[in-house]
């Protein structure tokens, strides 16, 4: 989604801004632009923008150079108005003296626009943002920051913004309401940065100050001042962008998605590192902030998330209920935030989010808190909004996930939920022996993830066979139903195929009508309590000529294994993941689905890391 980077200091701004924008590419965007304020002699406010890629913007800046040591830049993901050159940010006032970049939505933009047009302002874009720059233009005040503050009083909605003025060439004014903004503080004498995402400034600093809602800050070459919503000067804590944010390079892989799939032996290990207590048979989770009395009073857990994080929550429900015997409810965060959820005392809400910035999940977490729940976050990005607002947090430590498709964060979410289940279970009725056994299975899992990845050559061949098939169904039962849903999501978002995820037994209630020899049915069927039942789902599909790919386990029936026996005769292909206890099988069964979607996407010529119409993170609705 939209991204912002800004700089003021002793160096030329344009190369730093372009570099920052390229680090934000992974978020998804459709247009980009920058504004640089020149010093005496140079044209004062120089704006370059276009619909298209950062590389095209860089070429434009080479053709029409900009000069100056103060500037702002933006990647836009269209919401109000088509992705065109004029709708791209920055936006300027009538006199071309101010330039503004904005993430968020100005909800009262139409009313403001009407009033400003009536007052004589010329609007040249279809965006909501343009109203704000005209508001600043006519706002009273001696300084840019005074005018920004005065203008923001009229704004309803959300914003992360950065503004520069031709008349004040050594200053960037920034503000935040509802969408992340941070000040980057590099070594003394090298200037100041602002960004909406730490990836944009990682090369220059690891020290950042996060703005709170209502904050306005003024950046100058030698430092910054920050004011809260009541215009009082504030000093906020400097945080270290965690080391695990570093290293966003391809390392020889053709795509980030493939790199991240292959990182899973390491990332699953990192999620578990230091958290398994083998002697006690428990888990150590340092930042939960759950008192003994809160644990004793726990009656219900509500898991909140969107998309892949919601699928992880569905797996987590079974894990926590079986280990800790606490009722768990799973909610789409986007629905829960608007529902009058009935919450009993003793409810713990857990917001699950890779980015920690998904607006729906953040708002759902806030709604749960207002309704009286204690709130935890399971997040990957250290210092993200959910991590900072939650009462406690379990970090995934999976490193930066750049590919739009969530892969390594998903498997780490499953492990974080298992660690939480083990932690809670051992504080309730789970025996130390059962805890020790689970801890040892968990410790062995990263090795099994590595073994699962050796299926890739077989999956590549299979992808070539099926890449032309237009319709897919992924089936599963129990703990592997969410994996079927996740597999179908991956085929949709990355391979751009029509794919549905279904519970195996639901097929006969309607979707079975679609089955014929054109339909590919992927069935997730490891050896577990649902194995025989799923086999019977497959028999019904086979009887109707459906082509079946089974993701099964090495200890299940057919092809020389024990168990169910006739799997081999039912299916066209089997992808056999290593045997593991059923509770942990989703961590392995999802990997062939990730690889299948990846290889089909490549064969179909899809843009794997930046899929059509999608962004990495949605901090807004
Ligand atoms: O950062 P989050 O986990 O909150 O993101 C939730 C979804 O936006 C995310 O899972 C997205 O749908 C991915 N593209 C799924 O692969």
């Amino acid at each position: 989604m939209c991204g912002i980077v800004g700089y003021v200091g002793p160096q030329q701004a344009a190369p730093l801004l372009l570099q920052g924008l390229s680090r934000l590419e992974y978020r998804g965007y459709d247009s980009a632009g920058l504004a640089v304020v020149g010093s005496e002699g140079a044209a004062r406010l120089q704006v370059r923008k276009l619909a298209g890629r950062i590389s095209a913007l860089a070429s434009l800046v080479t053709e029409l150079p900009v000069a100056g040591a103060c500037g702002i830049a933006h990647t836009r993901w269209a919401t109000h108005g088509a992705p065109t050159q004029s709708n791209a940010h920055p936006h300027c006032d009538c006199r071309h003296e101010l330039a503004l970049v904005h993430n968020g939505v100005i909800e009262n933009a139409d009313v403001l626009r009407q009033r400003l047009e009536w007052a004589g302002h010329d609007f040249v874009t279809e965006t909501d943002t343009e109203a704000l720059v005209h508001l600043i233009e006519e706002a009273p005040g001696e300084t840019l920051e005074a005018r920004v503050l005065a203008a923001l009083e009229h704004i309803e909605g959300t914003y992360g913004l950065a503004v520069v003025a031709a008349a004040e060439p050594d200053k960037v004014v920034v503000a935040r309401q509802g969408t992340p903004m941070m000040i980057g503080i590099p070594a003394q004498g090298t200037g100041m940065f602002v960004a909406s995402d730490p990836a944009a400034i990682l090369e220059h600093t690891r020290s950042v100050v996060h703005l709170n809602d209502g904050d306005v800050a003024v950046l100058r070459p030698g430092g910054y001042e920050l004011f809260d919503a009541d215009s009082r000067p504030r000093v906020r804590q400097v945080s270290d962008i965690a080391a695990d944010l570093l290293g966003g390079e391809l390392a020889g892989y053709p795509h980030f998605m493939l790199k991240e799939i292959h990182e899973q032996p390491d990332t699953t290990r990192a999620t578990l590192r230091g958290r398994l207590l083998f002697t006690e048979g428990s888990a150590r989770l340092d930042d939960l902030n759950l008192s003994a009395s809160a644990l004793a009073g726990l009656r219900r857990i509500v898991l909140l998330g969107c998309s892949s994080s919601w699928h992880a929550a569905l797996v987590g429900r079974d894990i926590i209920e079986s280990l800790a015997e606490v009722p768990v409810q799973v909610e789409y965060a986007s629905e829960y935030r608007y529902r009058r959820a009935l919450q009993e005392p003793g409810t713990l809400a857990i917001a699950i989010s890779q980015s920690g910035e998904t607006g729906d999940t953040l708002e759902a977490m806030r709604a749960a808190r207002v309704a009286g729940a204690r709130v935890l976050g399971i997040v990957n990005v250290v210092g993200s909004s959910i991590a900072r607002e939650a009462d406690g947090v379990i970090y995934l430590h999976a490193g930066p996930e750049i590919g739009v498709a969530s892969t390594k964060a998903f498997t780490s979410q499953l492990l974080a939920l298992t660690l939480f289940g083990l932690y809670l279970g051992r504080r309730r009725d789970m025996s130390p022996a059962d805890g020790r056994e689970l801890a040892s299975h968990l410790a062995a899992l990263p090795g099994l993830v590595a073994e699962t990845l050796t299926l890739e050559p077989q999956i590549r061949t299979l992808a070539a066979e099926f890449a032309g098939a237009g319709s897919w169904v992924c089936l599963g039962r129990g703990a592997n139903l969410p994996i079927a849903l996740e597999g179908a999501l991956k085929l949709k978002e990355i391979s751009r195929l029509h794919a549905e995820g279904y519970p195996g037994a639901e097929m006969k209630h309607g979707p079975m009508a679609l089955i014929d020899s054109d339909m590919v049915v992927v069935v997730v069927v490891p050896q577990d309590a649902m194995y025989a039942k799923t086999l019977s789902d497959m028999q019904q599909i086979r009887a109707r000529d459906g082509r079946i790919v089974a993701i099964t386990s090495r200890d299940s029936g057919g092809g020389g294994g024990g168990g169910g026996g006739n799997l081999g005769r039912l299916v066209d292909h089997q992808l056999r993941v290593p045997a593991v206890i059923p509770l942990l099988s989703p961590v392995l069964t999802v990997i062939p689905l990730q690889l299948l979607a990846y290889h089909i996407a490549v064969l179909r010529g899809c843009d794997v890391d930046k899929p059509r119409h999608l962004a990495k993170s949605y901090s807004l609705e």
Side-chain angles (χ1 to χ4, degrees):
M1 243 184 151
C2 303
I4 289 176
V5 58
Y7 172 76
V8 57
Q11 303 175 57
Q12 281 297 309
L16 298 172
L17 297 177
L18 287 166
Q19 181 194 42
L21 287 185
S22 68
R23 298 292 179 241
L24 297 178
E25 278 199 296
Y26 78 96
R27 298 172 65 90
Y29 68 105
D30 45 48
S31 41
L34 56 79
V36 170
V37 188
S39 51
E40 291 299 335
R44 269 301 171 89
L45 191 61
Q46 308 142 83
V47 177
R48 305 285 181 267
K49 58 184 188 174
L50 45 70
R53 294 286 175 203
I54 310 294
S55 53
L57 181 66
S59 307
L60 180 64
V61 172
T62 309
E63 255 172 63
L64 292 172
V66 294
C70 171
I72 53 176
H74 190 261
T75 46
R76 174 173 188 253
W77 198 82
T79 54
H80 290 58
T84 61
Q85 195 246 355
S86 68
N87 287 337
H89 298 215
H91 296 299
C92 293
D93 63 320
C94 301
R95 287 171 290 192
H96 211 74
E97 289 175 350
L98 301 170
L100 164 77
V101 292
H102 165 229
N103 291 350
V105 177
I106 313 282
E107 283 164 8
N108 58 340
D110 289 347
V111 178
L112 291 172
R113 186 177 182 130
Q114 261 180 13
R115 179 164 78 63
L116 288 159
E117 279 180 335
W118 186 79
H121 290 267
D122 284 331
F123 277 70
V124 293
T125 81
E126 303 161 287
T127 65
D128 54 331
T129 302
E130 195 184 356
L132 180 52
V133 74
H134 291 290
L135 261 185
I136 300 171
E137 180 181 9
E138 65 163 32
E142 295 290 304
T143 59
L144 179 60
E145 56 273 28
R147 293 164 76 194
V148 170
L149 273 166
L152 289 178
E153 283 178 18
H154 300 278
I155 294 295
E156 288 165 24
T158 51
Y159 50 80
L161 60 87
V163 199
V164 291
E168 298 176 66
D170 58 352
K171 187 188 280 183
V172 180
V173 175
V174 301
R176 169 190 164 135
Q177 182 65 48
T179 132
M181 288 294 277
M182 65 203 70
I183 300 169
I185 309 167
Q188 222 178 356
T190 53
M192 301 294 295
F193 286 88
V194 62
S196 57
D197 177 328
I201 52 175
L202 261 176
E203 268 111 338
H204 308 287
T205 182
R206 288 179 53 183
S207 301
V208 298
V209 168
H210 293 279
L211 268 66
N212 286 353
D213 279 350
D215 283 353
V216 172
V218 184
L219 277 59
R220 295 193 176 79
Y224 71 96
E225 294 165 280
L226 192 147
F227 305 91
D228 67 11
D230 300 319
S231 304
R232 285 176 305 206
R234 284 280 174 196
V235 176
R236 298 217 187 281
Q237 193 193 340
V238 178
S239 324
D240 185 16
I241 306 172
D244 64 8
L245 266 171
L246 298 165
E249 299 300 334
L250 277 167
Y253 285 94
H255 298 102
F256 281 108
M257 182 181 176
L258 189 63
K259 177 185 175 223
E260 288 158 9
I261 291 172
H262 279 274
E263 280 174 355
Q264 289 176 109
D266 291 335
T267 52
T268 48
R269 202 169 280 117
T271 306
L272 296 173
R273 187 167 295 130
R275 287 169 163 172
L276 290 173
L277 303 176
F278 294 99
T279 316
E280 294 160 43
S282 186
R284 174 181 169 163
L285 294 169
D286 286 337
D287 300 315
L288 282 184
N289 291 326
L290 275 176
S291 64
S293 68
L295 281 168
L298 185 60
R299 298 280 169 274
R300 173 172 291 275
I301 293 172
V302 181
L303 299 179
L304 304 164
C306 296
S307 193
S308 291
S309 295
W310 182 78
H311 298 154
L314 290 175
V315 180
R317 176 181 61 196
D318 288 9
I319 292 172
I320 297 171
E321 285 189 345
S322 77
L323 296 177
E325 298 189 359
V326 184
V328 180
Q329 162 187 342
V330 176
E331 300 270 356
Y332 280 117
S334 52
E335 291 293 316
Y336 181 87
R337 63 182 286 192
Y338 293 114
R339 213 153 71 73
R340 195 181 141 260
L342 297 175
Q343 240 169 238
E344 57 191 317
T347 297
L348 174 71
I350 306 183
I352 306 173
S353 172
Q354 186 285 129
S355 60
E357 299 295 351
T358 299
D360 284 325
T361 312
L362 182 60
E363 288 302 332
M365 184 180 94
R366 288 173 177 161
R369 174 178 273 148
V370 168
R374 198 169 172 79
V375 296
L376 287 185
I378 294 184
V379 300
N380 194 31
V381 178
V382 176
S384 55
S385 298
I386 290 176
R388 286 183 295 124
E389 281 196 30
D391 300 316
V393 66
I394 304 174
Y395 281 119
L396 302 182
H397 299 310
E401 192 178 68
I402 307 289
V404 165
S406 190
T407 53
K408 63 176 181 173
F410 180 77
T411 43
S412 284
Q413 284 169 340
L414 301 187
L415 289 182
L417 285 157
T418 312
L419 286 168
F420 181 69
L422 174 58
Y423 173 92
L424 205 58
R426 286 289 290 112
R427 276 149 190 82
R428 296 168 81 91
D429 289 336
M430 189 181 191
S431 72
D434 286 349
R436 279 193 285 271
E437 198 185 330
L438 178 57
S440 68
H441 285 298
L442 279 165
L445 203 58
L448 301 183
V449 169
E451 267 186 59
T452 307
L453 287 167
T454 63
L455 289 170
E456 189 170 14
Q458 195 189 342
I459 293 171
R460 207 182 289 121
T461 311
L462 211 141
E465 182 181 338
F466 290 115
S471 281
W472 294 65
V473 178
C474 299
L475 301 180
R477 282 182 180 239
N480 279 289
L481 167 59
I483 298 309
L485 302 181
E486 176 66 7
L489 172 70
K490 290 287 159 285
L491 287 165
K492 277 192 270 251
E493 63 177 342
I494 302 305
S495 328
R496 262 196 266 145
L497 288 169
H498 179 227
E500 300 286 342
Y502 254 95
E506 285 291 311
M507 286 298 284
K508 60 181 175 292
H509 295 294
M512 193 68 89
L514 292 173
I515 299 294
D516 58 22
S517 57
D518 291 333
M519 176 78 89
V520 185
V521 184
V522 181
V523 187
V524 190
V525 57
Q527 188 66 49
D528 62 14
M530 302 312 290
Y531 181 79
K533 297 280 177 201
T534 314
L535 222 58
S536 118
D537 301 333
M538 288 154 75
Q539 262 147 358
Q540 295 174 42
I541 289 157
R542 197 62 179 170
R544 286 152 186 88
D545 286 339
R547 290 182 285 171
I548 302 179
V549 176
I551 296 173
T552 183
S553 49
R554 290 187 193 150
D555 56 346
S556 64
N566 54 1
L567 185 70
R569 276 181 277 122
L570 270 179
V571 303
D572 296 276
H573 297 280
Q574 293 183 50
L575 297 168
R576 297 181 152 258
V577 303
V580 70
I581 56 167
L583 193 81
L584 299 180
S585 78
V587 178
L588 303 184
T589 52
V590 76
I591 292 170
L593 287 162
Q594 297 170 344
L595 284 166
L596 187 63
Y598 171 79
H599 284 291
I600 291 179
V602 170
L603 288 168
R604 285 168 54 84
C606 302
D607 191 344
V608 172
D609 287 331
K610 299 183 203 83
R612 185 173 75 173
H613 306 327
L614 297 179
K616 179 62 182 162
S617 163
Y618 293 88
S619 50
L620 304 167
E621 287 208 274

